[in-house]
Amino acid sequence: MKTDPFAPIGGDPSPQKNKPLWSAVTPVPSDAPPAPEQHPRLGKPAGRWIYRDQNGELLGYVNRFNQQDGKQFRPLVLFSPEAGGVPQWRWESWPAPRPLYGLDRLAGSRLAPVIVCEGEKSADAAGRLAPDHAATTSPNGSKSAAKADWRPLRGRKVIIWPDADKPGGEFAEMVAGLARDAGAISVSIITPPDGAPEGWDAADAEHDGWTISQTAALINAAVPFAQAEAQFSSSSDMPGRKRAPAQRDSLMRLTEFCDLWHSRDGEGFITIPVQGHRENWPIRSRQLKNWLSARAFEEMGIAPGAQAIEDTLRVLEARAVNEGEARTPWMRTGQRDGRIYIDLCDAAWRAVEVSQNGWQLIERHTLPFIRSSSMRALPEPEAGESIDLLRQFVNTAREADFMLSVAWLLAALAGRGPFPILMVQGEQGTGKSTFARILRALVDPNGAPHRQLPRDIRDFAVAAANALVLSFDNISSIDPEISDMLCRAATGSGFAARTLHTDRDETIINLSNPIILNGIPALSERADLADRTITIHLKPIAASDRQTEAELWENWAASAPRVLGALLDGLSAGLRNLASTHLPEKPRLADFALWVTACEAGLGWEPGSFMAEYMDNRRTAADSAFESDPIAVAIHELAKRHSASGWHGSPTELLDALNMQASEAVKRARAWPVTAQGLGNRLERAAPLLRARGVHFQRKHSGTRTYTIWTERPETGAPGP
């Protein structure tokens, strides 16, 4: 597989970064003798051009001599001395592969398109006429182009500006093939303007007074090399003509210098260099199909057929899985080498890097971020603001609610699961939907900020695979099956289903998502769900404090960058303090509690303040879950009545005992079991709630199943009978 045309920036550095692209040419040492001013036979040169490497070090000179029999080019090269000898300048060229002219300019403008001219004088002129381009040529005239090293054009957009004559056309065709073979992402050839004299070139254009805008128009009209090639392919009844290559082969050539890789689940991905940055897309994505179609039209002037695109994708997928590197794709956030990376999701594919020493924007990187079509851009963060700026946009009822909301943001931005589920409660008119949208806008903005809670597990898994944050709006109840799915997504799990149109293959979706739920009633009716939640309450918004949607979002757009910057300060503090942070007690979701505690200093919070509020919130949630569980309440009452000696009996006897003490309204509820087996399942779920209140049970199998239920002895706290 070809290497990536862009040197890694913001990722793993290449060990070959400073090595010259050619092996036969080395820079002239600083203590070398001065170059001679004239040739012993040809005299003083009419022109001299300096060749430098990509670091600006001198490699040698190319000299032009005007003679009666025409012009001559004699490079002046410092050859290494023989053993014990003295370095000597020689009027002969470098051994192949020879360096290109202006390598230092090419390296200094790595994102600029490259103009290749026929000769150094024309290259210099082209560089002045097209200052947003980098200009180059090969040494020793047009017929020596094949002896040059064209690898510096890898990953570049190349425009060839030949002389307006037959040798110029031959030079253009030769260089076009060499540039494409070297890895240029596109190659075009300039057509001389109508009426241009024989031999007209960039130097003549400059002499004629051409402007930058005239030159830009000429460059924009350049013909793609692949399209020019296609003009020479025709049907077999025209002797000497080549047959047109298959569209599939042409499309594969467009991806030659893309990076192919796969996830550990076997999904193929492609990394594409686009306008100076890198984009990562699933090979089967709509984005890659659109890119292939656009490039094919741009390079070859064709609209590829559906079958050609399908064949290309199939080959790319096979190569990505069988030849590509295995990597873990990141959705919005990722971690590497003790740093947190956040995808801004903007058009330039920029990211934020958070380290122990702070945070910074990185323009170019090799991070494996992937995106879905519904993802939207985060604001560009700004430093210097306190997290208190967020208060004016959220109407939390208490200080604890604000603190816990920020804690959820810190966990979500860091991508550090397991994640607590954020349950937002409040009466009508408290702005629950707006609150959830603002929080999501600081982590994972989306084209659909809120969604209806799916009732199908497959739909839930698909939604989780296409976003980091899941936000579900206006919930009145949660089915048990979806409740289990929410728990699995928060703490990390997997979803597997048979791949469509196959008998044996599985599609695996790894779930690990921050989740927001909002609704008016209490949502933590199940103990396992309550154990994974942070419940916050919003207060009613006074009529005098209400804003229009336009006012709210205008103010938020101005403040969001600074709020995000304050959160990034908290993340940096978390990385700095995590190793030295310890919890006096480890609750459920202990990783979340430890992480937010480590972040406290970066937010200006008092040490331990978050943990105190978090534990209080957990106790409240547990109480709510207990009160919502009729079996837990009934078992607790039964245990209190038998506190002296405990209760002992079969599952059927236990159900009868509970039915005797429960009201008719409770027994008619859907949550009330009607069989002994159903009671056993509900009892297992209620066990954590009962233990928190000193009630224990034990199930035995000694011929017949029996339950023993008891309470702890008040004087010792030890279990009773």
Side-chain angles (χ1 to χ4, degrees):
M1 185 182 300
K2 303 292 185 184
T3 55
D4 181 49
F6 293 93
I9 300 176
D12 298 331
S14 169
Q16 302 296 322
K17 182 171 67 173
N18 296 319
K19 183 177 180 181
L21 290 174
W22 56 91
S23 57
V25 182
T26 55
V28 175
S30 58
D31 58 349
E37 291 296 325
Q38 60 182 23
H39 189 275
R41 182 174 58 84
L42 299 176
K44 191 172 183 178
R48 172 173 284 186
W49 293 272
I50 301 175
Y51 274 63
R52 301 184 184 276
D53 68 7
Q54 69 270 34
N55 297 318
E57 299 293 332
L58 176 65
L59 296 175
Y61 306 88
V62 164
N63 300 269
R64 171 176 171 168
F65 297 92
N66 294 330
Q67 302 294 307
Q68 292 182 353
D69 54 352
K71 59 186 177 183
Q72 294 188 26
F73 290 93
R74 295 293 179 92
L76 185 59
V77 179
L78 184 71
F79 276 72
S80 299
E82 302 291 339
V86 178
Q88 298 181 24
W89 288 94
R90 296 187 181 176
W91 299 89
E92 55 188 79
S93 190
W94 298 275
R98 298 167 180 169
L100 295 180
Y101 178 56
L103 285 170
D104 52 335
R105 296 194 296 269
L106 289 178
S109 54
R110 295 178 59 245
L111 305 182
V114 179
I115 299 176
V116 179
C117 295
E118 190 178 341
E120 292 83 4
K121 181 179 179 181
S122 292
D124 288 343
R128 292 186 289 267
L129 290 172
D132 55 343
H133 291 60
T136 187
T137 189
S138 55
N140 284 72
S142 60
K143 294 184 179 181
S144 298
K147 296 181 180 180
D149 185 349
W150 295 95
R151 282 179 292 175
L153 301 187
R154 181 180 54 163
R156 308 292 287 263
K157 182 178 181 180
V158 175
I159 304 98
I160 302 172
W161 190 339
D163 292 359
D165 51 25
K166 182 178 180 180
E170 294 172 350
F171 171 79
E173 185 175 354
M174 179 184 297
V175 171
L178 293 168
R180 187 179 63 188
D181 293 343
I185 59 175
S186 68
V187 182
S188 302
I189 301 175
I190 287 177
T191 301
D194 293 339
E198 183 82 3
W200 183 88
D201 59 14
D204 294 323
E206 185 179 39
H207 181 269
D208 294 342
W210 273 49
T211 64
I212 291 176
S213 59
Q214 284 179 290
T215 306
L218 184 71
I219 293 173
N220 291 335
V223 179
F225 178 54
Q227 183 175 334
E229 278 188 310
Q231 296 173 0
F232 292 96
S233 58
S234 185
S235 60
S236 58
D237 60 347
M238 300 186 70
R241 298 291 178 90
K242 299 179 182 179
R243 182 179 298 276
Q247 283 190 0
R248 178 204 60 223
D249 297 335
S250 299
L251 293 176
M252 285 298 300
R253 193 173 65 210
L254 295 177
T255 67
E256 185 176 6
F257 294 95
C258 297
D259 185 16
L260 298 174
W261 52 284
H262 64 275
S263 69
R264 286 167 175 79
D265 297 327
E267 183 178 6
F269 292 87
I270 186 169
T271 301
I272 306 171
V274 178
Q275 297 180 355
H277 64 268
R278 300 158 52 95
E279 298 185 4
N280 306 310
W281 297 109
I283 289 176
R284 289 290 176 178
S285 65
R286 174 173 54 85
Q287 289 85 354
L288 179 58
K289 293 179 182 179
N290 291 340
W291 181 84
L292 282 172
S293 298
R295 285 295 310 280
F297 186 79
E298 176 186 346
E299 294 296 311
M300 297 173 285
I302 63 170
Q307 188 58 51
I309 291 179
E310 176 61 28
D311 292 345
T312 302
L313 296 182
R314 191 165 61 248
V315 174
L316 290 174
E317 191 170 36
R319 289 182 56 200
V321 172
N322 295 305
E323 303 173 17
E325 180 183 353
R327 305 172 189 168
T328 299
W330 296 348
M331 179 74 75
R332 186 67 79 171
T333 66
Q335 299 181 43
R336 176 188 291 172
D337 300 329
R339 290 175 168 84
I340 297 170
Y341 294 93
I342 302 170
D343 182 13
L344 285 184
C345 213
D346 61 359
W349 285 68
R350 295 181 301 166
V352 177
E353 180 186 68
V354 185
S355 69
Q356 296 183 13
N357 300 320
W359 55 270
Q360 63 175 342
L361 283 176
I362 51 176
E363 303 285 341
R364 306 286 178 261
H365 57 80
T366 60
L367 304 171
F369 281 119
I370 61 172
R371 298 175 177 178
S372 68
S373 58
S374 62
M375 294 173 66
R376 298 294 183 264
L378 280 167
E380 182 175 323
E382 297 177 9
E385 187 60 71
S386 165
I387 193 62
D388 290 337
L389 180 61
L390 179 61
R391 293 179 186 276
Q392 61 184 283
F393 298 98
V394 296
N395 59 313
T396 46
R398 301 177 303 127
E399 174 63 22
D401 294 320
F402 177 79
M403 181 176 288
L404 292 171
S405 301
V406 173
W408 182 89
L409 288 169
L410 292 171
L413 271 175
R416 301 181 71 97
F419 302 101
I421 298 172
L422 189 69
M423 290 194 171
V424 185
Q425 295 182 357
E427 63 184 69
Q428 184 177 355
T430 53
K432 297 183 299 297
S433 297
T434 300
F435 175 87
R437 183 176 174 185
I438 285 176
L439 261 59
R440 182 169 191 178
L442 289 167
V443 179
D444 186 33
N446 195 276
H450 310 299
R451 303 192 181 201
Q452 181 181 358
L453 187 64
R455 296 192 177 276
D456 179 80
I457 292 179
R458 180 186 291 271
D459 291 341
F460 186 101
V462 170
N466 285 278
L468 172 64
V469 173
L470 300 176
S471 180
F472 301 116
D473 198 30
N474 291 328
I475 300 171
S476 57
S477 64
I478 301 177
D479 293 337
E481 197 173 32
I482 296 299
S483 176
D484 290 340
M485 198 67 174
L486 289 168
C487 294
R488 291 164 59 191
T491 54
S493 183
F495 171 81
R498 180 176 62 85
T499 303
L500 293 177
H501 312 302
T502 65
D503 294 324
R504 296 177 57 88
D505 294 339
E506 277 189 329
T507 296
I508 298 175
I509 298 176
N510 292 309
L511 307 176
S512 184
N513 302 80
I515 298 171
I516 305 176
L517 307 176
N518 85 69
I520 295 177
L523 300 176
S524 302
E525 297 176 353
R526 292 168 59 98
D528 53 352
L529 183 62
D531 207 30
R532 293 168 170 85
T533 63
I534 292 175
T535 303
I536 65 167
H537 299 272
L538 303 184
K539 61 186 178 182
I541 303 174
S544 58
D545 294 333
R546 287 196 175 274
Q547 303 179 65
T548 65
E549 285 281 314
E551 291 172 337
L552 173 65
W553 295 115
E554 181 180 358
N555 293 335
W556 173 246
S559 300
R562 290 173 286 160
V563 175
L564 180 57
L567 289 169
L568 296 178
D569 291 339
L571 297 185
S572 179
L575 293 175
R576 191 164 53 249
N577 301 326
L578 185 61
S580 59
T581 301
H582 304 281
L583 299 178
E585 56 178 319
K586 292 183 174 61
R588 184 69 181 270
L589 302 178
D591 296 275
F592 160 72
L594 183 69
W595 168 245
V596 179
T597 300
C599 295
E600 284 179 325
L603 301 168
W605 293 351
E606 290 293 326
S609 57
F610 158 73
M611 196 62 187
E613 300 295 354
Y614 180 52
M615 295 304 294
D616 182 65
N617 191 270
R618 285 182 56 79
R619 286 189 290 269
T620 302
D623 290 341
S624 176
F626 173 77
E627 294 164 0
S628 301
D629 191 327
I631 292 299
V633 172
I635 292 290
H636 186 257
E637 293 176 356
L638 181 69
K640 286 194 299 182
R641 289 204 312 270
H642 297 83
S643 59
S645 59
W647 185 94
H648 180 80
S650 69
T652 301
E653 291 171 334
L654 178 59
L655 181 58
D656 290 341
L658 296 178
N659 281 330
M660 289 289 292
Q661 72 180 37
S663 67
E664 290 300 321
V666 170
K667 288 187 289 185
R668 285 197 301 268
R670 187 177 62 172
W672 191 262
V674 296
T675 65
Q677 182 179 1
L679 173 61
N681 294 336
R682 292 302 308 271
L683 194 56
E684 291 291 341
R685 289 187 177 273
L689 300 175
L690 292 169
R691 278 197 303 272
R693 285 157 177 78
V695 177
H696 302 263
F697 74 89
Q698 185 178 45
R699 181 188 304 182
K700 292 184 179 180
H701 296 272
S702 55
T704 59
R705 288 187 302 161
T706 60
Y707 281 110
T708 299
I709 300 173
W710 71 93
T711 59
E712 295 175 350
R713 295 190 184 100
E715 66 275 11
T716 64

